[in-house]
Amino acid sequence: MTKLKLIMDVDPGIDDSLAILFAAKHSSIELLGLTIASGNIEVNQGARNAYKALSMVNRTDVPIHKGSLLPLKRNYVDATDTHGKDGIGEIYFPDIDPKEQESAIDFIIKSCYRYPNEITIAALGPLSNLAMVIQKDPHALQLAKEIVIMGGAAKTHGNCSEVAEYNFWCDPDAADTFFEAKPKNVTLVPLDVTYKILLSPNKRDMIRQFNTPLSTYVYDITQFYVNFHWNQERTLGCIINDPLVIAYLVSHHILKFEKGSVDIVTEGKALGESIVDFRMLSDRPPVNIALNVDSKAFFHLFLTTIFDDFKDDIELMFRKEMLG
Amino acid sequence: MKRKVIFDTDPGIDDAIALLTLLNSDMFDVLGITTVAGNKGIEHTTTNANKIVTYMNQSIPIYQGAYSRYPVVKENKPSDHLDGGDVHGKDGLGGIDLKVNPELFKQESAIDFLVRCALEFPNEVEIISVGPMSNLALAIEQDEAAMRQIKKIWSMGGGVRRGNVTPVAEFNYWFDPDAVEKVYSIGDEVPIVMIGLDATHQCIFDMNDLTFMKLACGPKGEMMAHMVNDYVKAYWTVNGYIGVVIHDLIAVLAAMDEDICTTLTHTHLDIVMGGKAHGQCLVDLVDSWKKPKNAFVCMDLDVRKCKEMFLKTCFTKEVMERYREVFP
């Protein structure tokens, strides 16, 4: 079986880090490289955090390409209130800079031409890098097999304002540039579905019981997130947005979609909002918008992939319905 | 004592049905009807309001209001009016032929009338607003202290998760967002209940309902069914519904019995002006942003209760009971 050739464009970030572990460990994914943008945390620390995640699963063979330092036009606002000052829950591991590579922009363009119609891009941060790819070479992304984006809010509330989700809000001009370029085969995984992906205290504690360096790392980086969610919105547990994209890539049926066209608000009170037109009255191509998710199937896949040594325990816990 | 109410409107088919329902209710003392440009130009909407009152053989005075958006009227500029097109038929009442009683028209402007009532009956007057909020905003501009003594405002407009003019904006609020901003600025003191598209779209009068109206509700029911006839095609084409939504009616029903609103969230409402999201309501349903509360936003309706209230009010208790037998 040919593996899915994947580039992950990330801003790690706690949930990005979990998505990296997930993709790096999944047997049907060939992780070509990580590209980093400033988002949850600025790009240099993001690259270190990405390296940390890869090192936890012995995959430092995957190259890390740094990209955009700043949003296209707007002032940069990070999300360290959510992710901690170091971007991964203030665990302050010893910093290791990954090996210097070519820029994220060049890497994405080169990969698209090298493997036409084979590359999948999972965009889990602000779309600054992809917008810069479009600006540098408008044709390149049309060669991607699929671009799956975690971002936006279709029929639910935002997390940066009533209507705006962080990734699009952080760099709305990049998101607008992206959708304006009418790329094909785009799938959007918005807050409508990621809000349902709650890593509950029960699940976290099972992970802790595994008592391995990897499980300790996952437990530790999510502690800050748990506290944030409780203080901010009285959610018990943490919402882990980004790994859902990886789950979809290897198991399409986890998400259910409707088609809509997407436009991004770049000014005013609704800044960063993704306006989804399900009637598709504009000339923009349809985007698959995820609106429903099988969250139990997600967690089964996510946990058994990352903690494959504990598959039997995980399944037992599911059977005993102890993971709510 | 009956509740004092002013009906602010731009008829419009759904306005007309809302008004017919209001006039059939014995709950209210309708002080007057104020008209505004919106679904149609001001002459049309004023004439249409008159036609409905005349049809009901009542003598409620009609006060003509804003010919255009609040900022335009405020600065005495010529109208830059874009109306609702032919959604409501060319005359705005779906082509129904009704008589006008010229005696109902009053010289006093809608704005003066609103302020006068607010002063005359402090904390007694409720406003049911089912068109653009231009008149209300102009009245607040004229005498905010007076308008802060309005008892309650029931507003059909806006939407939280849906729009109609654009994917995110509803017609009434999109038409005059400056007015919306002005009106909700007194929402810290005057309770404003927003009946937006999220709520109204739950109450679809389907073809069963419309056929029942036509056959079992006498000439008035037949007329109403005829009036919404053009709507049926529009709702099929635009929304894929077999039936119609009668937005403004829901605001009247809510004013009659707030319990039809099964969720009513006291929250902050803001309106977007300019840009791609022009006219969109920003409503913090999860109270994440802790902004001052100025609106009660209805997100869910007791649909069955809406329909039964409508039938009982507009027609008779027997008609409603018949409906229960036919559609248990």
mmCIF file of all heavy atoms in Angstrom, chain A residues 77-92:
data_model
loop_
_atom_site.group_PDB
_atom_site.id
_atom_site.type_symbol
_atom_site.label_atom_id
_atom_site.label_comp_id
_atom_site.label_asym_id
_atom_site.label_seq_id
_atom_site.Cartn_x
_atom_site.Cartn_y
_atom_site.Cartn_z
ATOM 1 N N VAL A 77 -0.115 38.439 16.964
ATOM 2 C CA VAL A 77 -0.566 38.157 18.333
ATOM 3 C C VAL A 77 -0.487 36.644 18.554
ATOM 4 O O VAL A 77 -1.149 35.874 17.845
ATOM 5 C CB VAL A 77 -2.037 38.622 18.559
ATOM 6 C CG1 VAL A 77 -2.457 38.359 19.997
ATOM 7 C CG2 VAL A 77 -2.200 40.096 18.207
ATOM 8 N N ASP A 78 0.355 36.216 19.474
ATOM 9 C CA ASP A 78 0.501 34.776 19.693
ATOM 10 C C ASP A 78 -0.627 34.260 20.586
ATOM 11 O O ASP A 78 -1.540 35.008 20.946
ATOM 12 C CB ASP A 78 1.887 34.445 20.282
ATOM 13 C CG ASP A 78 2.069 35.011 21.688
ATOM 14 O OD1 ASP A 78 1.069 35.161 22.425
ATOM 15 O OD2 ASP A 78 3.225 35.311 22.057
ATOM 16 N N ALA A 79 -0.566 32.979 20.932
ATOM 17 C CA ALA A 79 -1.619 32.405 21.777
ATOM 18 C C ALA A 79 -0.992 31.768 23.007
ATOM 19 O O ALA A 79 -1.374 30.685 23.442
ATOM 20 C CB ALA A 79 -2.454 31.393 20.994
ATOM 21 N N THR A 80 0.005 32.479 23.561
ATOM 22 C CA THR A 80 0.689 31.909 24.723
ATOM 23 C C THR A 80 -0.200 31.905 25.964
ATOM 24 O O THR A 80 0.077 31.206 26.924
ATOM 25 C CB THR A 80 1.992 32.667 25.038
ATOM 26 O OG1 THR A 80 1.698 34.061 25.084
ATOM 27 C CG2 THR A 80 3.041 32.419 23.970
ATOM 28 N N ASP A 81 -1.307 32.680 25.912
ATOM 29 C CA ASP A 81 -2.254 32.600 27.035
ATOM 30 C C ASP A 81 -2.906 31.220 27.074
ATOM 31 O O ASP A 81 -3.242 30.714 28.139
ATOM 32 C CB ASP A 81 -3.328 33.689 26.915
ATOM 33 C CG ASP A 81 -4.101 33.625 25.602
ATOM 34 O OD1 ASP A 81 -3.570 33.049 24.624
ATOM 35 O OD2 ASP A 81 -5.227 34.130 25.559
ATOM 36 N N THR A 82 -3.054 30.602 25.925
ATOM 37 C CA THR A 82 -3.668 29.273 25.825
ATOM 38 C C THR A 82 -2.638 28.151 25.927
ATOM 39 O O THR A 82 -2.921 27.087 26.475
ATOM 40 C CB THR A 82 -4.396 29.129 24.461
ATOM 41 O OG1 THR A 82 -5.170 30.289 24.226
ATOM 42 C CG2 THR A 82 -5.277 27.905 24.444
ATOM 43 N N HIS A 83 -1.456 28.399 25.341
ATOM 44 C CA HIS A 83 -0.473 27.314 25.177
ATOM 45 C C HIS A 83 0.737 27.422 26.100
ATOM 46 O O HIS A 83 1.621 26.573 26.067
ATOM 47 C CB HIS A 83 0.000 27.264 23.715
ATOM 48 C CG HIS A 83 -1.088 26.877 22.764
ATOM 49 N ND1 HIS A 83 -1.267 25.595 22.314
ATOM 50 C CD2 HIS A 83 -2.093 27.602 22.214
ATOM 51 C CE1 HIS A 83 -2.312 25.542 21.499
ATOM 52 N NE2 HIS A 83 -2.836 26.752 21.430
ATOM 53 N N GLY A 84 0.794 28.486 26.881
ATOM 54 C CA GLY A 84 1.941 28.674 27.775
ATOM 55 C C GLY A 84 3.049 29.465 27.103
ATOM 56 O O GLY A 84 3.100 29.556 25.877
ATOM 57 N N LYS A 85 3.922 30.042 27.919
ATOM 58 C CA LYS A 85 4.963 30.931 27.390
ATOM 59 C C LYS A 85 5.894 30.211 26.417
ATOM 60 O O LYS A 85 6.438 30.808 25.505
ATOM 61 C CB LYS A 85 5.776 31.535 28.534
ATOM 62 C CG LYS A 85 4.991 32.576 29.320
ATOM 63 C CD LYS A 85 5.896 33.418 30.206
ATOM 64 C CE LYS A 85 5.105 34.399 31.045
ATOM 65 N NZ LYS A 85 4.311 33.707 32.129
ATOM 66 N N ASP A 86 6.111 28.924 26.604
ATOM 67 C CA ASP A 86 6.976 28.170 25.691
ATOM 68 C C ASP A 86 6.178 27.520 24.553
ATOM 69 O O ASP A 86 6.745 26.848 23.704
ATOM 70 C CB ASP A 86 7.758 27.103 26.459
ATOM 71 C CG ASP A 86 6.842 26.078 27.117
ATOM 72 O OD1 ASP A 86 5.598 26.257 27.050
ATOM 73 O OD2 ASP A 86 7.357 25.097 27.697
ATOM 74 N N GLY A 87 4.863 27.722 24.564
ATOM 75 C CA GLY A 87 4.020 27.163 23.497
ATOM 76 C C GLY A 87 3.548 25.748 23.766
ATOM 77 O O GLY A 87 2.650 25.246 23.077
ATOM 78 N N ILE A 88 4.155 25.077 24.733
ATOM 79 C CA ILE A 88 3.721 23.711 25.027
ATOM 80 C C ILE A 88 3.546 23.502 26.532
ATOM 81 O O ILE A 88 4.039 22.545 27.126
ATOM 82 C CB ILE A 88 4.648 22.625 24.415
ATOM 83 C CG1 ILE A 88 6.121 22.920 24.705
ATOM 84 C CG2 ILE A 88 4.412 22.496 22.923
ATOM 85 C CD1 ILE A 88 7.043 21.759 24.299
ATOM 86 N N GLY A 89 2.790 24.439 27.100
ATOM 87 C CA GLY A 89 2.328 24.226 28.470
ATOM 88 C C GLY A 89 3.348 24.504 29.552
ATOM 89 O O GLY A 89 3.227 24.018 30.668
ATOM 90 N N GLU A 90 4.369 25.313 29.210
ATOM 91 C CA GLU A 90 5.375 25.741 30.178
ATOM 92 C C GLU A 90 6.053 24.562 30.872
ATOM 93 O O GLU A 90 6.203 24.528 32.094
ATOM 94 C CB GLU A 90 4.749 26.745 31.186
ATOM 95 C CG GLU A 90 4.150 27.938 30.427
ATOM 96 C CD GLU A 90 3.608 29.063 31.297
ATOM 97 O OE1 GLU A 90 3.540 28.916 32.514
ATOM 98 O OE2 GLU A 90 3.261 30.114 30.708
ATOM 99 N N ILE A 91 6.453 23.585 30.059
ATOM 100 C CA ILE A 91 7.209 22.468 30.624
ATOM 101 C C ILE A 91 8.718 22.757 30.563
ATOM 102 O O ILE A 91 9.510 22.094 31.215
ATOM 103 C CB ILE A 91 6.895 21.129 29.922
ATOM 104 C CG1 ILE A 91 7.238 21.184 28.430
ATOM 105 C CG2 ILE A 91 5.441 20.738 30.117
ATOM 106 C CD1 ILE A 91 7.194 19.830 27.750
ATOM 107 N N TYR A 92 9.098 23.754 29.767
ATOM 108 C CA TYR A 92 10.482 24.216 29.685
ATOM 109 C C TYR A 92 11.508 23.089 29.610
ATOM 110 O O TYR A 92 12.400 22.983 30.435
ATOM 111 C CB TYR A 92 10.802 25.152 30.868
ATOM 112 C CG TYR A 92 9.930 26.396 30.871
ATOM 113 C CD1 TYR A 92 8.960 26.591 31.858
ATOM 114 C CD2 TYR A 92 10.067 27.350 29.865
ATOM 115 C CE1 TYR A 92 8.156 27.727 31.837
ATOM 116 C CE2 TYR A 92 9.266 28.482 29.844
ATOM 117 C CZ TYR A 92 8.325 28.667 30.829
ATOM 118 O OH TYR A 92 7.523 29.773 30.823
#
